Amino acid sequence: MATAAAPWLELPALFEKPGTMNGSFNESFEALVFFPRDHPVSPTQSRAPLDDFGFFNYGIFHIMRPNRPITLLLVFLSCAVGALLRTVLRETKVPILVIIFFIGLGIGILAHFTHQLPFVKQISGIDPVLFLHLFTPVIIFTAAFEMDFYIFRKSFWQVLVLAVPGFLMNCGFLGWLTFKINKYNWSWDDSMLFGIILSTTDPVLSVASVRNIGLSKIVTNLIKGESLFNDATTVIIFELYRDLINQSHHEVVKEIFIQLMLKFFASIAFGFLSSKLVSYWLAHIFNDGIIEVVLSFSMAYIIFFLAEWFGMSGVIALCMLGLLLDSVSFSPGMDVFLYKFWAMLTFLAHIMIYLIMGIVIAQKTFPYINTRAFFSIITVYLSLNLVRALVILTLSPFLSRLGYGFNWRWGAVVVWSGMRGTFTLNMALAISQTQSSTAAELQVKTMILLHCGTASLLTLIINSTTVKKLVMTLGLCNITLPKRMAMHNAVQRIRQMEANAFSMLKLDRFLADANWAMAEDSMTIDYPYKLDAEEIRHLSKSLKCPDCDADITFERSPQQIADIMEEARLRLLTAQIASYQKQYNSGMLNQEAAQTLIGAAESYVDIEGKFMNIHEVKTYWESKGMLVTMKKWLSDWVYNVKDEITKPPKNKFLRMCHQIVFMEEFEYISTLITYLNSVPIILNFISSVNEEYLPQLRMCNYYFLCLYIGEAILKAFAMGRTYIYYHWNQFDLIIIVVGIIDVMIINLFKNMTPSYPMINTIRIFRFGRLLRVFRLFKLMLPTLIFVLDKQINKQLTFRYDIAKGYVQGEEDIKCLIEQIAGHEKVYMEITKILETNKQEAMKELGLMQRDYPEIVTAVKTRQAVQTVLNTASETLKFMISGGIVDKNEGAELHKMILVKKKQLAKLPPTIAPPTAQQLLHNVMWLQDNKNQIEYIQKKAKILYYDYGDIICEEGELPQGIHLIVSGMIKLSGSSPPRYGVDKDFMKEAVNRHTAASSYTDYMVTGAIIGELNCLTKQEMEYAVSCETAVQTCFISIDDLLEAFDRFLEPPSLEYKIWLKIALDIALKTYKENLPNQDWTYKMCAQYSNMYVIDVLNHTKCDIYDEAMDDVILVHGTVQDCQLGQRYCAPCILPKTCHQVQGTSPATKLLIIRSMEARKNTGTCFNVCQYHSDRRCATLGQLFSLESRNRSSIPNDLDYTYMSSQSPRKN
């Protein structure tokens, strides 16, 4: 078979003269100028004189100097024209590529009538191999990279049916139809090649028209997947068929088999290995986006070139590379830039493809265009669509039983979206560029080029502009009522924000004289969907009762509720994916876990009514069992895994044997003997050496066998009866038995006449000597076990990361349910489902912490460091953007933070879990306070509970607090925590979105139970039971109250516990009420400016004066003194509320100080009458200054100590 030359050796072909396939590069380059040196000058045209600089000189004017690369100029001009057309025609349905094609066609036709465009003839002779290698990698990698791998995995068999049997049927039908109806007298081979060329579709153009119109991802991935693998099949079949008809092959079956092995299986393996190499390389590039983009670009071309060079399919190799890489394979935040980069390359590639093909078709087919050709063009276009529809109809029974199923509407879209593009044009170009022996053969090749080019053009003009209308007509992207409701709500919210913005801007002194009427008119946002009166009535979710101003909710039909539920499910899946992406960008999820969670969420998109749950996510990590079993099996074979040094015998001789066997030198000598024995064993299998040195090799065999027997006897004397119980000793005995039988057979058959069975028996036992070499694996087993340990730890870390990321995702989307759900029943159902899924995931996390505490501790340590470094990065960004830190200084600090992030990979995979004493030091309200920790340690008790034990019952008085040292406990209550709100008021105040019948939660190591109940002396609101064996550090309530009385110096121990609880409640409240903001960072930024105040029952307190930014009610209830509005914890008090009155026995407010208050030296503001005399400690002083010597604190430092020190009621 003919092999194509390396692409880089054929670069001059781009500039070859028409009709030739070789030539000098210098000659070709000179042909690009306006006046080449060898260009003949007509009698009426004389060459202008050259000046001293080599320019053409006409009088005083200088014309362009020769040897300018006009082709390069044309490339950039075409890119500029493409950009201009994209700008002008963005809102129209006119395909840009059609205009580019006609521009190329015009240039090519113009070149027929003038000699001033010689570069056109050079472009028309472009080498098809160069054309393939220049544009194909961009098209294929972009399409594969944008594929949804998890949807593709499920629909793989559908894609395969369409891409292989479907393609072959397409080829056969088109080839037969062409052979029967064409008027050009084409042969059967020409017709079949024409059918193969027209059966392929473009993976990018086919999807471009249906990308963002609301069509199901399953259909778009099916279209793209079919086109990708269709292209791969096309290249294989086209090259194979062309070679078979052009060359004589005596072994056709063998040739086909070799080609399939190389083009299919070898290409898949090469693409898979390449993806692993690229992923490994990307994993070792830390936060350098330029390198990552350059790597993706260069590796796409390199892998394609190498695959084609070695006879494989570059298309299949690139498909595997693109499918196995995704945006998460790159650094966080790179996804948007990466997609835009490849989209830009794809756009430019298509611009160049259609410009070149316009020129080529105009140059080569212009003399053959006539009325008959136009009729044939229309016939070909109709035939290829009719045949494609017939093939899809034939395969639909099979497609409907595979993957996601199939229906006739999907089939219509698949048929009509099949655009002919890059591969059709490239193969037609390859046919036209081959040399022709006769004029008839040249005409056939030219007409194939003409019909393929025009077929591609017509699919762009007709199919791509009407496929959207087809999708709409078939109802595949109907705008359902839930979608209209969501859009209605979104527009209403935007309008509300606009109104608020206008109101605030009117207060701006610089904008006071703006034309607000014109501004409001210009900013009015209309509904994207046209609504009739009935739809508007349905969109109105509630009305106001004229009597009581209460909401009256419309009743929905069951079908409407089901539709609303499905739309809410899809939006929640989108929110989950966004949460996983956010966790990956922040470093809380590793790459593999993020890819798994994102892919799993995407796979649920088209499964109606299905929510993502932890039980199905678990299937992604359950392969660990095999590695654990393998490790256990190998561990049994390792000597040093068990304590093999048995008690030395009393007998003097046996004791001496024991000492010898268990010396390290004995093992070294045994290993050396095995190494030496491997040499004669290998020589035995070399025929020439075996015949020449047979006696010597036989003696070596006897010698080493005796050494093995001696070693076994020594071990037997040393270990006694336990000798036989160890695997390696059993293996040594097998070696000895096989060796003895080998020697006996050789000596027995030595004097007999050789026969075939005798020779086979000798050979079998000779192979038995290879068993001795396996003794060397004894040294390798510890290394293998170490590698297995690392892999198991990696899988367990991956397992914990997935479960933790899933729980965080559920918490993130929980805050969005109210905005997404369009009906009360939908809200309640989704809340119930998400809460159940979250609790199951929490339980899974607890079980992992119980089973693998070292790994979980390592993961938590890494995540803690990552969170702190993220906070440092955000702080640095804020200081740079505000001009506090110079950009150069900021760059240096950023490098230091990046170094620390990079060092996270060096943290050990396992860390010993903390002890009870270490956990006490980590308790926030102790904060390494030596005196308080020593007191708690003296009073604390370590308690042990078994699985199922009840630590406390719901409704009983608190006995103390429990710090969980190990294990997992379950909290279960009849209602959610009340946070000090009276039960009767709770029932009245709770709205429909917080109604819940029960409360369940799980807690693991480091969590504390009963803090709030001990502070308020209220009964337990939940029962606490053990889900595993549990160990807790228990501090009784009497000892805790005694500690409160003992440690009264500001900030007191009681105040610090209140502050810790307040911070936890405030963070949850912020996330629930304002989920779109990063409150973790904001809380860290305000960390040193928060304090807790008491509001006694029936006592008034001023809030939101110049000293406060935010006030959060964290416990109890208050009433607005002005409006009479009552608020219950937890909630953020509105800034219109300036004075509140406590209405519960224990009311706590968390105050966040304003900037003006921070500039003050510490003067205490009059927050309320009760606290006017008191001083409070800020949080930074609270947890950083306490461990210092009191004498080192400045005298003028005021503590903002707001904790009430009223006498405690007994």
Side-chain angles (χ1 to χ4, degrees):
M1 292 178 60
T3 57
W8 48 84
L9 298 179
E10 301 199 15
L11 286 175
L14 179 62
F15 310 108
E16 288 171 359
K17 296 180 179 180
T20 64
M21 296 300 292
N22 51 25
S24 168
F25 181 81
N26 291 330
E27 293 176 355
S28 301
F29 185 76
E30 289 175 0
L32 296 177
V33 300
F34 280 108
F35 295 96
R37 295 168 190 167
D38 58 350
H39 183 70
V41 183
S42 64
T44 60
Q45 179 185 12
S46 60
R47 192 183 294 269
L50 296 173
D51 63 5
D52 295 336
F53 298 98
F55 288 90
F56 289 112
N57 194 341
Y58 291 90
I60 60 174
F61 298 101
H62 293 280
I63 310 301
M64 181 180 291
R65 196 172 71 177
N67 299 332
R68 297 294 91 188
I70 305 301
T71 304
L72 188 62
L73 176 63
L74 181 65
V75 169
F76 291 108
L77 281 175
S78 63
C79 294
V81 171
L84 177 63
L85 292 173
R86 185 180 176 92
T87 304
V88 175
L89 303 177
R90 179 178 294 274
E91 302 299 329
T92 67
K93 295 183 179 180
V94 179
I96 297 174
L97 297 181
V98 173
I99 300 177
I100 295 295
F101 181 87
F102 279 113
I103 291 174
L105 202 65
I107 295 173
I109 293 174
L110 183 63
H112 282 284
F113 303 100
T114 179
H115 296 288
Q116 302 300 322
L117 302 174
F119 64 90
V120 174
K121 297 185 181 296
Q122 313 308 318
I123 293 176
S124 65
I126 186 173
D127 182 17
V129 176
L130 176 62
F131 188 91
L132 176 73
H133 287 72
L134 191 60
F135 301 117
T136 302
V138 174
I139 306 297
I140 296 300
F141 182 79
T142 302
F145 186 66
E146 292 178 351
M147 281 279 289
D148 190 317
F149 176 76
Y150 290 88
I151 294 179
F152 169 76
R153 187 173 63 177
K154 186 170 182 178
S155 59
F156 170 75
W157 293 108
Q158 291 177 305
V159 170
L160 194 64
V161 168
L162 288 171
V164 181
F167 171 78
L168 294 176
M169 291 171 64
N170 238 315
C171 296
F173 289 155
L174 273 176
W176 176 82
L177 193 62
T178 303
F179 182 72
K180 289 295 183 182
I181 68 174
N182 86 89
K183 304 300 182 181
Y184 299 106
N185 297 322
W186 290 359
S187 66
W188 171 254
D189 291 334
D190 295 331
S191 300
M192 281 304 301
L193 282 176
F194 184 68
I196 292 172
I197 294 172
L198 281 184
S199 296
T200 185
T201 54
D202 192 288
V204 174
L205 298 179
S206 297
V207 180
S209 301
V210 295
R211 182 186 298 274
N212 296 317
I213 62 174
L215 186 62
S216 170
K217 280 189 175 182
I218 295 176
V219 183
T220 55
N221 277 273
L222 189 62
I223 295 170
K224 187 180 293 184
E226 183 226 357
S227 298
L228 276 173
F229 286 85
N230 196 325
D231 294 341
T233 309
T234 302
V235 173
I236 297 172
I237 300 299
F238 177 76
E239 292 182 358
L240 185 62
Y241 194 87
R242 187 181 59 176
D243 290 341
L244 289 176
I245 64 176
N246 290 337
Q247 301 178 20
S248 59
H249 293 270
H250 300 289
E251 299 180 355
V252 177
V253 176
K254 180 180 178 181
E255 183 70 21
I256 294 175
F257 176 77
I258 294 174
Q259 286 293 318
L260 289 178
M261 290 297 294
L262 279 174
K263 298 287 187 181
F264 187 70
F265 296 104
S267 301
I268 291 176
F270 180 68
F272 176 80
L273 294 175
S274 300
S275 69
K276 294 301 179 183
L277 173 64
V278 174
S279 298
Y280 179 80
W281 194 342
L282 289 171
H284 288 77
I285 298 174
F286 191 78
N287 202 37
D288 195 332
I290 295 177
I291 294 179
E292 294 182 23
V293 173
V294 171
L295 178 63
S296 68
F297 175 72
S298 58
M299 290 304 292
Y301 275 90
I302 290 172
I303 290 169
F304 184 85
F305 271 61
L306 291 177
E308 293 289 329
W309 200 5
F310 290 106
M312 295 179 286
S313 171
V315 176
I316 294 181
L318 268 189
C319 283
M320 289 299 298
L321 177 67
L323 283 171
L324 295 177
L325 293 179
D326 55 20
S327 61
V328 184
S329 303
F330 298 83
S331 295
M334 280 294 300
D335 50 342
V336 175
F337 177 73
L338 201 65
Y339 281 123
K340 288 185 177 181
F341 172 78
W342 282 101
M344 182 255 319
L345 289 182
T346 306
F347 176 72
L348 295 180
H350 278 118
I351 292 291
M352 295 307 305
I353 289 169
Y354 278 87
L355 179 72
I356 292 172
M357 290 309 300
I359 294 174
V360 170
I361 290 175
Q363 282 287 296
K364 292 183 177 294
T365 67
F366 185 70
Y368 298 93
I369 296 177
N370 50 40
T371 306
R372 180 181 173 185
F374 279 107
F375 177 78
S376 299
I377 289 170
I378 301 299
T379 304
V380 168
Y381 170 74
L382 295 176
S383 299
L384 66 89
N385 284 288
L386 179 64
V387 168
R388 183 169 171 82
L390 181 63
V391 170
I392 297 297
L393 180 64
T394 305
L395 296 176
S396 58
F398 303 98
L399 297 172
S400 61
R401 290 170 172 79
L402 299 172
Y404 292 99
F406 199 76
N407 57 60
W408 69 270
R409 294 184 298 173
W410 287 12
V413 175
V414 171
V415 170
W416 201 245
S417 62
M419 310 296 166
R420 274 58 176 180
T422 305
F423 281 87
T424 298
L425 299 175
N426 181 75
M427 289 184 290
L429 180 66
I431 291 290
S432 68
Q433 296 288 42
T434 55
Q435 293 185 358
S436 303
S437 56
T438 63
E441 183 180 354
L442 177 62
Q443 182 183 12
V444 170
K445 294 176 181 179
T446 304
M447 295 310 295
I448 289 177
L449 174 65
L450 173 65
H451 285 86
C452 290
T454 52
S456 173
L457 188 66
L458 286 175
T459 56
L460 283 176
I461 295 174
I462 301 173
N463 294 44
S464 67
T465 57
T466 57
V467 67
K468 181 177 179 179
K469 183 66 175 178
L470 174 65
V471 172
M472 295 294 185
T473 304
L474 295 175
L476 290 176
C477 56
N478 281 342
I479 304 170
T480 59
L481 175 63
K483 289 184 179 180
R484 294 177 183 272
M485 291 173 59
M487 182 61 71
H488 174 84
N489 294 337
V491 172
Q492 290 285 18
R493 188 169 184 179
I494 292 173
R495 287 180 176 178
Q496 182 63 43
M497 293 302 295
E498 285 179 351
N500 295 342
F502 276 121
S503 299
M504 295 298 296
L505 287 175
K506 288 177 182 179
L507 301 177
D508 192 326
R509 59 179 178 176
F510 296 107
L511 301 177
D513 57 344
N515 191 328
W516 294 108
M518 183 181 294
E520 291 177 4
D521 291 339
S522 62
M523 287 300 297
T524 302
I525 296 179
D526 296 325
Y527 290 101
Y529 309 138
K530 300 299 182 182
L531 305 175
D532 54 29
E534 182 66 18
E535 289 174 329
I536 293 175
R537 187 182 68 82
H538 281 293
L539 289 176
S540 301
K541 296 192 298 182
S542 62
L543 290 176
K544 294 290 184 179
C545 176
D547 298 328
C548 62
D549 200 36
D551 289 340
I552 303 175
T553 304
F554 278 113
E555 291 295 330
R556 303 286 183 187
S557 67
Q559 183 59 46
Q560 287 178 334
I561 292 178
D563 293 340
I564 296 172
M565 183 76 173
E566 179 62 18
E567 184 64 26
R569 184 189 70 87
L570 294 175
R571 295 183 187 276
L572 285 175
L573 284 173
T574 303
Q576 281 179 313
I577 293 172
S579 174
Y580 303 145
Q581 189 73 51
K582 181 180 177 182
Q583 292 179 60
Y584 172 69
N585 291 339
S586 65
M588 302 309 292
L589 270 182
N590 62 31
Q591 183 186 103
E592 190 178 6
Q595 286 176 326
T596 302
L597 286 170
I598 291 173
E602 289 177 343
S603 67
Y604 282 86
V605 169
D606 290 288
I607 306 176
E608 187 173 350
K610 191 74 172 177
F611 285 83
M612 189 176 175
N613 61 78
I614 193 64
H615 295 295
E616 297 188 13
V617 174
K618 283 171 63 176
T619 59
Y620 293 100
W621 71 61
E622 287 181 344
S623 59
K624 71 176 183 62
M626 183 181 66
L627 295 178
V628 174
T629 303
M630 186 182 299
K631 176 192 171 184
K632 183 178 180 182
W633 182 74
L634 290 177
S635 299
D636 290 339
W637 282 76
V638 180
Y639 268 40
N640 54 12
V641 171
K642 302 176 182 178
D643 186 11
E644 296 193 359
I645 303 180
T646 57
K647 186 177 180 180
K650 295 181 180 179
N651 184 280
K652 186 176 181 180
F653 173 73
L654 296 180
R655 187 183 297 110
M656 181 183 67
C657 293
H658 185 276
Q659 292 175 351
I660 294 173
V661 167
F662 288 101
M663 293 172 59
E664 291 186 0
E665 290 80 0
F666 183 82
E667 283 295 326
Y668 296 152
I669 294 173
S670 175
T671 304
L672 181 61
I673 290 172
T674 306
Y675 274 117
L676 293 174
N677 191 195
S678 61
V679 177
I681 290 174
I682 295 172
L683 294 177
N684 264 308
F685 291 95
I686 303 176
S687 301
S688 58
V689 177
N690 186 36
E691 293 176 0
E692 185 175 355
Y693 299 100
L694 181 61
Q696 291 85 350
L697 294 175
R698 187 178 298 168
M699 289 302 299
C700 286
N701 183 36
Y702 297 159
Y703 172 73
F704 283 107
L705 181 60
C706 291
L707 290 178
Y708 293 143
I709 294 173
E711 178 188 357
I713 292 172
L714 272 175
K715 287 183 177 180
F717 282 142
M719 303 176 69
R721 296 178 180 178
T722 59
Y723 171 80
I724 197 64
Y725 296 117
Y726 295 101
H727 297 304
W728 280 112
N729 296 340
Q730 296 168 4
F731 185 69
D732 289 343
L733 288 178
I734 292 174
I735 291 175
I736 292 171
V737 171
V738 172
I740 292 174
I741 296 174
D742 180 30
V743 171
M744 291 174 62
I745 288 175
I746 291 175
N747 286 282
L748 182 64
F749 292 162
K750 182 169 59 176
N751 299 322
M752 295 183 180
T753 304
S755 63
Y756 188 75
M758 183 186 305
I759 294 172
N760 283 341
T761 304
I762 294 174
R763 286 177 178 175
I764 290 172
F765 280 95
R766 182 182 295 176
F767 277 104
R769 299 177 191 176
L770 291 174
L771 291 174
R772 304 175 189 180
V773 180
F774 286 98
R775 284 165 51 93
L776 297 176
F777 281 100
K778 185 188 297 186
L779 298 177
M780 299 172 58
L781 285 183
T783 304
L784 288 175
I785 292 175
F786 175 74
V787 172
L788 281 177
D789 263 331
K790 287 186 64 177
Q791 190 63 27
I792 291 171
N793 291 341
K794 183 179 177 181
Q795 287 189 349
L796 293 174
T797 301
F798 168 67
R799 173 181 174 182
Y800 186 85
D801 276 342
I802 286 182
K804 177 65 167 56
Y806 176 80
V807 170
Q808 185 61 49
E810 295 297 293
E811 291 181 349
D812 291 343
I813 64 175
K814 182 181 178 181
C815 306
L816 304 173
I817 301 177
E818 185 176 358
Q819 302 177 31
I820 291 174
H823 195 271
E824 179 182 355
K825 291 182 180 179
V826 174
Y827 176 87
M828 298 297 294
E829 184 66 22
I830 290 178
T831 301
K832 183 179 178 181
I833 292 172
L834 293 184
E835 189 63 28
T836 302
N837 291 342
K838 176 189 170 184
Q839 297 309 327
E840 290 175 350
M842 288 292 296
K843 185 175 181 179
E844 190 67 30
L845 283 174
L847 294 176
M848 279 189 274
Q849 179 142 5
R850 177 199 66 180
D851 297 335
Y852 313 103
E854 297 86 1
I855 292 174
V856 172
T857 303
V859 174
K860 289 182 176 180
T861 303
R862 186 182 69 248
Q863 291 182 348
V865 177
Q866 182 70 55
T867 303
V868 174
L869 291 175
N870 289 340
T871 304
S873 297
E874 291 296 326
T875 305
L876 181 60
K877 288 179 183 178
F878 172 77
M879 290 190 294
I880 294 175
S881 62
I884 302 172
V885 174
D886 182 74
K887 288 186 176 180
N888 294 329
E889 298 170 351
E892 293 300 321
L893 289 173
H894 185 62
K895 288 180 182 178
M896 298 300 296
I897 295 174
L898 289 180
V899 169
K900 293 298 181 183
K901 287 186 176 182
K902 195 171 184 179
Q903 290 175 353
L904 280 176
K906 299 180 181 179
L907 288 178
T910 58
I911 298 175
T915 61
Q917 184 176 2
Q918 291 172 331
L919 288 173
L920 281 175
H921 283 268
N922 295 335
V923 173
M924 186 176 180
W925 39 267
L926 291 178
Q927 281 295 311
D928 290 328
N929 187 300
K930 184 177 180 182
N931 295 330
Q932 294 178 7
I933 291 175
E934 289 180 352
Y935 175 83
I936 295 296
Q937 284 179 340
K938 291 178 182 178
K939 300 293 183 178
K941 301 176 183 177
I942 301 297
L943 302 181
Y944 298 90
Y945 299 92
D946 292 329
Y947 168 73
D949 287 352
I950 304 297
I951 297 178
C952 66
E953 294 283 358
E954 182 179 2
E956 71 177 29
L957 291 175
Q959 302 298 316
I961 63 174
H962 292 266
L963 171 62
I964 303 175
V965 179
S966 64
M968 178 176 65
I969 58 98
K970 178 182 179 181
L971 309 181
S972 54
S974 58
S975 62
R978 299 196 309 270
Y979 299 106
V981 181
D982 182 74
K983 291 183 179 180
D984 296 333
F985 179 71
M986 187 81 172
K987 292 179 181 179
E988 296 176 2
V990 71
N991 56 42
R992 64 186 178 93
H993 298 312
T994 56
S997 57
S998 62
Y999 167 73
T1000 305
D1001 201 359
Y1002 294 89
M1003 291 189 175
V1004 291
T1005 302
I1008 301 177
I1009 310 165
E1011 289 172 304
L1012 184 58
N1013 300 89
C1014 288
L1015 287 172
T1016 60
K1017 295 184 181 178
Q1018 295 179 350
E1019 66 274 6
M1020 300 295 292
E1021 299 176 1
Y1022 44 76
V1024 181
S1025 59
C1026 299
E1027 289 292 306
T1028 65
V1030 175
Q1031 178 184 355
T1032 69
C1033 179
F1034 175 71
I1035 306 165
S1036 69
I1037 189 171
D1038 294 333
D1039 294 331
L1040 190 63
L1041 295 178
E1042 183 181 343
F1044 290 167
D1045 293 332
R1046 181 169 181 174
F1047 301 105
L1048 291 173
E1049 67 275 6
S1052 69
L1053 180 61
E1054 182 182 2
Y1055 173 77
K1056 290 192 292 184
I1057 297 178
W1058 270 116
L1059 189 54
K1060 178 257 184 185
I1061 295 172
L1063 288 173
D1064 183 47
I1065 296 174
L1067 184 57
K1068 292 179 181 177
T1069 306
Y1070 273 129
K1071 288 183 177 181
E1072 290 177 2
N1073 288 275
L1074 301 167
N1076 299 324
Q1077 302 183 33
D1078 186 6
W1079 285 106
T1080 302
Y1081 169 72
K1082 292 189 177 182
M1083 291 287 284
C1084 291
Q1086 300 284 357
Y1087 187 73
S1088 59
N1089 302 295
M1090 302 180 186
Y1091 56 89
V1092 176
I1093 64 172
D1094 296 330
V1095 181
L1096 297 183
N1097 198 6
H1098 306 298
T1099 302
K1100 295 182 179 180
C1101 174
D1102 294 331
I1103 60 173
Y1104 286 121
D1105 55 12
E1106 69 278 5
M1108 303 179 189
D1109 269 345
D1110 284 303
V1111 179
I1112 303 97
L1113 177 61
V1114 295
H1115 192 270
T1117 58
V1118 296
Q1119 184 176 13
D1120 188 339
C1121 295
Q1122 182 179 1
L1123 302 176
Q1125 174 88 24
R1126 294 189 68 183
Y1127 301 98
C1128 59
C1131 75
I1132 304 171
L1133 295 180
K1135 295 192 176 182
T1136 56
C1137 180
H1138 297 288
Q1139 190 180 59
V1140 295
Q1141 177 177 324
T1143 57
S1144 64
T1147 300
K1148 299 287 182 178
L1149 300 179
L1150 180 67
I1151 308 297
I1152 302 178
R1153 295 198 302 168
S1154 64
M1155 183 63 68
E1156 294 298 326
R1158 293 170 218 166
K1159 294 178 181 178
N1160 199 290
T1161 57
T1163 304
C1164 182
F1165 297 96
N1166 293 327
V1167 180
C1168 65
Q1169 183 179 2
Y1170 179 78
H1171 293 93
S1172 59
D1173 301 335
R1174 299 185 179 274
R1175 297 176 300 174
C1176 53
T1178 63
L1179 199 60
Q1181 299 156 358
L1182 174 65
F1183 295 136
S1184 62
L1185 298 179
E1186 187 171 326
S1187 59
R1188 301 181 186 176
N1189 189 345
R1190 294 296 177 185
S1191 61
S1192 65
I1193 302 177
N1195 295 329
D1196 59 349
L1197 178 63
D1198 286 332
Y1199 286 88
T1200 319
Y1201 180 45
M1202 296 307 236
S1203 178
S1204 174
Q1205 299 298 328
S1206 57
R1208 186 178 294 106
K1209 296 180 182 181
N1210 294 323

